[in-house]
Short mmCIF file of all heavy atoms in Angstrom, two decimals:
data_model
loop_
_atom_site.label_atom_id
_atom_site.label_comp_id
_atom_site.label_asym_id
_atom_site.label_seq_id
_atom_site.Cartn_x
_atom_site.Cartn_y
_atom_site.Cartn_z
N ASN A 124 82.99 34.61 26.44
CA ASN A 124 84.05 33.65 26.15
C ASN A 124 84.03 32.52 27.16
O ASN A 124 84.06 32.72 28.38
CB ASN A 124 85.43 34.31 26.17
CG ASN A 124 85.62 35.24 24.98
OD1 ASN A 124 85.11 35.01 23.91
ND2 ASN A 124 86.38 36.31 25.20
N GLY A 125 83.97 31.28 26.66
CA GLY A 125 84.03 30.13 27.53
C GLY A 125 82.78 29.95 28.38
O GLY A 125 82.86 29.32 29.47
N ALA A 126 81.65 30.49 27.99
CA ALA A 126 80.44 30.40 28.77
C ALA A 126 80.04 28.95 29.00
O ALA A 126 80.07 28.13 28.06
CB ALA A 126 79.30 31.17 28.12
N VAL A 127 79.67 28.61 30.22
CA VAL A 127 79.23 27.27 30.58
C VAL A 127 77.86 27.36 31.29
O VAL A 127 77.32 28.43 31.44
CB VAL A 127 80.27 26.59 31.51
CG1 VAL A 127 81.53 26.23 30.73
CG2 VAL A 127 80.65 27.49 32.68
N LEU A 128 77.36 26.23 31.67
CA LEU A 128 76.04 26.17 32.29
C LEU A 128 75.95 27.13 33.49
O LEU A 128 74.94 27.79 33.73
CB LEU A 128 75.72 24.73 32.73
CG LEU A 128 74.41 24.49 33.45
CD1 LEU A 128 73.23 25.01 32.62
CD2 LEU A 128 74.25 23.01 33.76
N GLU A 129 77.02 27.20 34.26
CA GLU A 129 77.00 28.08 35.47
C GLU A 129 76.83 29.53 35.08
O GLU A 129 76.13 30.31 35.78
CB GLU A 129 78.33 27.88 36.25
CG GLU A 129 78.44 26.53 36.94
CD GLU A 129 79.04 25.46 36.06
OE1 GLU A 129 79.17 25.67 34.83
OE2 GLU A 129 79.47 24.41 36.59
N ASP A 130 77.41 29.94 33.94
CA ASP A 130 77.20 31.30 33.46
C ASP A 130 75.75 31.54 33.13
O ASP A 130 75.19 32.62 33.40
CB ASP A 130 78.06 31.56 32.18
CG ASP A 130 79.53 31.70 32.49
OD1 ASP A 130 79.91 32.70 33.14
OD2 ASP A 130 80.31 30.86 32.08
N TYR A 131 75.13 30.55 32.48
CA TYR A 131 73.71 30.69 32.11
C TYR A 131 72.86 30.92 33.32
O TYR A 131 71.88 31.71 33.31
CB TYR A 131 73.24 29.45 31.40
CG TYR A 131 73.78 29.21 29.99
CD1 TYR A 131 74.72 30.12 29.42
CD2 TYR A 131 73.46 28.11 29.24
CE1 TYR A 131 75.22 29.92 28.15
CE2 TYR A 131 73.94 27.92 27.96
CZ TYR A 131 74.85 28.80 27.43
OH TYR A 131 75.35 28.59 26.15
N ILE A 132 73.18 30.24 34.39
CA ILE A 132 72.38 30.34 35.63
C ILE A 132 72.48 31.77 36.22
O ILE A 132 71.48 32.37 36.60
CB ILE A 132 72.83 29.28 36.66
CG1 ILE A 132 72.42 27.90 36.18
CG2 ILE A 132 72.23 29.57 38.02
CD1 ILE A 132 73.01 26.75 36.95
N VAL A 133 73.70 32.28 36.26
CA VAL A 133 73.91 33.65 36.80
C VAL A 133 73.21 34.68 35.95
O VAL A 133 72.44 35.54 36.49
CB VAL A 133 75.41 33.98 36.89
CG1 VAL A 133 75.60 35.42 37.31
CG2 VAL A 133 76.12 33.06 37.87
N LEU A 134 73.41 34.63 34.66
CA LEU A 134 72.78 35.64 33.75
C LEU A 134 71.28 35.51 33.73
O LEU A 134 70.57 36.52 33.70
CB LEU A 134 73.36 35.47 32.36
CG LEU A 134 74.84 35.78 32.20
CD1 LEU A 134 75.32 35.47 30.77
CD2 LEU A 134 75.16 37.22 32.51
N SER A 135 70.77 34.27 33.77
CA SER A 135 69.33 34.05 33.72
C SER A 135 68.63 34.65 34.92
O SER A 135 67.49 35.20 34.81
CB SER A 135 69.03 32.55 33.63
OG SER A 135 69.44 32.01 32.40
N GLN A 136 69.27 34.57 36.09
CA GLN A 136 68.67 35.16 37.28
C GLN A 136 68.51 36.67 37.14
O GLN A 136 67.48 37.24 37.53
CB GLN A 136 69.51 34.83 38.55
CG GLN A 136 68.76 35.00 39.85
CD GLN A 136 67.50 34.19 39.91
OE1 GLN A 136 67.51 33.00 39.67
NE2 GLN A 136 66.36 34.83 40.21
N SER A 137 69.52 37.31 36.56
CA SER A 137 69.45 38.77 36.34
C SER A 137 68.40 39.09 35.31
O SER A 137 67.64 40.08 35.44
CB SER A 137 70.80 39.30 35.83
OG SER A 137 71.76 39.30 36.88
N ILE A 138 68.25 38.26 34.31
CA ILE A 138 67.24 38.46 33.27
C ILE A 138 65.82 38.36 33.87
O ILE A 138 64.95 39.18 33.62
CB ILE A 138 67.40 37.42 32.10
CG1 ILE A 138 68.68 37.73 31.32
CG2 ILE A 138 66.19 37.41 31.22
CD1 ILE A 138 69.06 36.64 30.37
N LEU A 139 65.64 37.33 34.71
CA LEU A 139 64.34 37.14 35.36
C LEU A 139 63.96 38.30 36.25
O LEU A 139 62.81 38.67 36.35
CB LEU A 139 64.37 35.82 36.19
CG LEU A 139 64.31 34.52 35.40
CD1 LEU A 139 64.72 33.35 36.25
CD2 LEU A 139 62.88 34.31 34.87
N GLU A 140 64.93 38.92 36.86
CA GLU A 140 64.69 39.99 37.81
C GLU A 140 64.55 41.36 37.17
O GLU A 140 63.90 42.24 37.70
CB GLU A 140 65.82 40.04 38.86
CG GLU A 140 65.85 38.85 39.77
CD GLU A 140 67.06 38.85 40.72
OE1 GLU A 140 67.87 39.78 40.59
OE2 GLU A 140 67.19 37.95 41.54
N ASN A 141 65.11 41.52 35.94
CA ASN A 141 65.21 42.88 35.40
C ASN A 141 64.56 43.08 34.04
O ASN A 141 64.20 44.18 33.69
CB ASN A 141 66.70 43.28 35.30
CG ASN A 141 67.35 43.31 36.64
OD1 ASN A 141 67.17 44.22 37.42
ND2 ASN A 141 68.16 42.30 36.95
N GLN A 142 64.45 42.03 33.22
CA GLN A 142 63.95 42.19 31.86
C GLN A 142 62.43 42.15 31.83
O GLN A 142 61.82 41.18 32.30
CB GLN A 142 64.53 41.14 30.92
CG GLN A 142 66.03 41.26 30.79
CD GLN A 142 66.52 42.49 30.07
OE1 GLN A 142 65.74 43.11 29.35
NE2 GLN A 142 67.77 42.86 30.28
N LYS A 143 61.80 43.17 31.27
CA LYS A 143 60.34 43.26 31.24
C LYS A 143 59.77 43.15 29.83
O LYS A 143 58.69 42.67 29.65
CB LYS A 143 59.88 44.61 31.86
CG LYS A 143 60.38 44.85 33.27
CD LYS A 143 59.74 43.89 34.25
CE LYS A 143 60.10 44.25 35.71
NZ LYS A 143 61.50 44.15 36.04
N LYS A 144 60.56 43.56 28.84
CA LYS A 144 60.04 43.62 27.48
C LYS A 144 60.40 42.41 26.62
O LYS A 144 59.75 42.13 25.60
CB LYS A 144 60.51 44.90 26.79
CG LYS A 144 60.00 46.13 27.49
CD LYS A 144 60.48 47.40 26.79
CE LYS A 144 59.97 48.66 27.49
NZ LYS A 144 60.41 49.90 26.79
N ALA A 145 61.43 41.66 26.99
CA ALA A 145 61.87 40.55 26.19
C ALA A 145 60.81 39.45 26.17
O ALA A 145 60.13 39.18 27.15
CB ALA A 145 63.16 39.97 26.72
N LYS A 146 60.63 38.86 24.98
CA LYS A 146 59.67 37.75 24.81
C LYS A 146 60.38 36.39 24.73
O LYS A 146 59.88 35.44 25.24
CB LYS A 146 58.84 37.99 23.56
CG LYS A 146 58.00 39.25 23.57
CD LYS A 146 57.22 39.41 22.25
CE LYS A 146 56.40 40.67 22.26
NZ LYS A 146 55.71 40.89 20.96
N ASN A 147 61.55 36.40 24.06
CA ASN A 147 62.25 35.14 23.82
C ASN A 147 63.60 35.14 24.52
O ASN A 147 64.33 36.10 24.45
CB ASN A 147 62.47 34.94 22.34
CG ASN A 147 61.17 34.87 21.53
OD1 ASN A 147 60.22 34.20 21.95
ND2 ASN A 147 61.14 35.54 20.40
N ILE A 148 63.90 34.01 25.15
CA ILE A 148 65.24 33.76 25.65
C ILE A 148 65.81 32.65 24.81
O ILE A 148 65.26 31.51 24.77
CB ILE A 148 65.24 33.31 27.13
CG1 ILE A 148 64.58 34.40 28.00
CG2 ILE A 148 66.69 33.05 27.60
CD1 ILE A 148 65.32 35.71 28.02
N ILE A 149 66.87 32.91 24.08
CA ILE A 149 67.48 31.98 23.19
C ILE A 149 68.77 31.43 23.83
O ILE A 149 69.69 32.19 24.09
CB ILE A 149 67.76 32.58 21.81
CG1 ILE A 149 66.46 33.08 21.20
CG2 ILE A 149 68.45 31.57 20.89
CD1 ILE A 149 66.61 33.78 19.87
N ILE A 150 68.82 30.14 24.10
CA ILE A 150 69.91 29.55 24.83
C ILE A 150 70.79 28.73 23.82
O ILE A 150 70.30 27.75 23.22
CB ILE A 150 69.44 28.61 25.94
CG1 ILE A 150 68.58 29.41 26.94
CG2 ILE A 150 70.64 27.97 26.67
CD1 ILE A 150 68.00 28.53 28.05
N ALA A 151 72.02 29.13 23.62
CA ALA A 151 72.95 28.44 22.75
C ALA A 151 73.41 27.14 23.43
O ALA A 151 73.85 27.17 24.58
CB ALA A 151 74.09 29.30 22.37
N ILE A 152 73.30 26.04 22.71
CA ILE A 152 73.77 24.75 23.22
C ILE A 152 75.14 24.48 22.59
O ILE A 152 75.29 24.41 21.39
CB ILE A 152 72.79 23.60 22.83
CG1 ILE A 152 71.37 23.95 23.27
CG2 ILE A 152 73.29 22.30 23.42
CD1 ILE A 152 71.18 24.08 24.74
N ASN A 153 76.17 24.34 23.47
CA ASN A 153 77.48 23.99 23.00
C ASN A 153 77.74 22.50 23.26
O ASN A 153 76.98 21.84 23.96
CB ASN A 153 78.55 24.83 23.76
CG ASN A 153 78.42 26.32 23.44
OD1 ASN A 153 78.40 26.69 22.27
ND2 ASN A 153 78.30 27.12 24.45
#
Side-chain angles (χ1 to χ4, degrees):
N124 290 327
V127 288
L128 178 55
E129 291 88 346
D130 286 293
Y131 290 0
I132 291 170
V133 174
L134 294 175
S135 293
Q136 198 57 52
S137 290
I138 291 169
L139 285 164
E140 292 174 357
N141 298 284
Q142 298 292 339
K143 302 294 188 295
K144 297 181 181 180
K146 296 178 181 178
N147 300 316
I148 302 297
I149 300 176
I150 302 177
I152 307 296
N153 296 307

